[in-house]
Amino acid sequence: MPLLAVLASGLAGFAFGALWYMALANVWQAAAGLSEETITRTLRGYRPYLLALLANLIVAGALRHLFAAAGISGAGAGLSTGLSVGAFVAAPWLVMAYAFAARGLKLTLIDAAHVVGACGAIGLVLGLFL
């Protein structure tokens, strides 16, 4: 059952990201300063999507361990804990890295909000399993 919870919640995080970036594709592309040609060339293969899925599965596994150790269960507790981890652990690291890389505020906000939302989606689904 733990493996199924990690797989399902990792897929939920990945799906959140897919929907997030599809909705914000043009805004994100402009904020990232990427041309259509660069986007097409970079996203042609499966590698970025496979890495994104793997990253979501790793986060899901880590959150599942945290949830089990802390006794977190239920959709509401899972969602709020996932959002908290995203907002107060993952997003600040991303913001710091983007600040040193001189990335713009708009890109930082789009990507940080994605991290928070994906962690929330992962937490929600994990909470349903625990």
Side-chain angles (χ1 to χ4, degrees):
M1 193 69 140
L3 180 60
L4 182 59
V6 169
L7 290 174
S9 60
L11 287 172
F14 182 83
F16 177 86
L19 294 172
W20 182 257
Y21 286 111
M22 281 192 299
L24 296 171
N26 293 333
V27 177
W28 178 86
Q29 182 180 339
L34 298 173
S35 68
E36 191 66 40
E37 177 186 332
T38 301
I39 293 285
T40 303
R41 186 178 63 246
T42 303
L43 301 181
R44 184 178 341 179
Y46 64 89
R47 187 170 184 244
Y49 304 102
L50 184 61
L51 290 172
L53 178 58
L54 180 61
N56 278 279
L57 291 170
I58 290 169
V59 171
L63 284 180
R64 196 249 171 242
H65 175 75
L66 173 71
F67 282 25
I72 297 166
S73 64
L79 176 61
S80 65
T81 303
L83 289 171
S84 294
V85 168
F88 302 115
V89 177
W93 284 101
L94 183 139
V95 169
M96 181 180 61
Y98 277 30
F100 281 100
R103 306 298 285 187
L105 178 62
K106 188 179 281 189
L107 180 65
T108 301
L109 293 175
I110 291 169
D111 290 347
H114 162 251
V115 166
V116 174
C119 284
I122 290 169
L124 172 68
V125 174
L126 278 176
L128 295 172
F129 278 89
L130 301 174

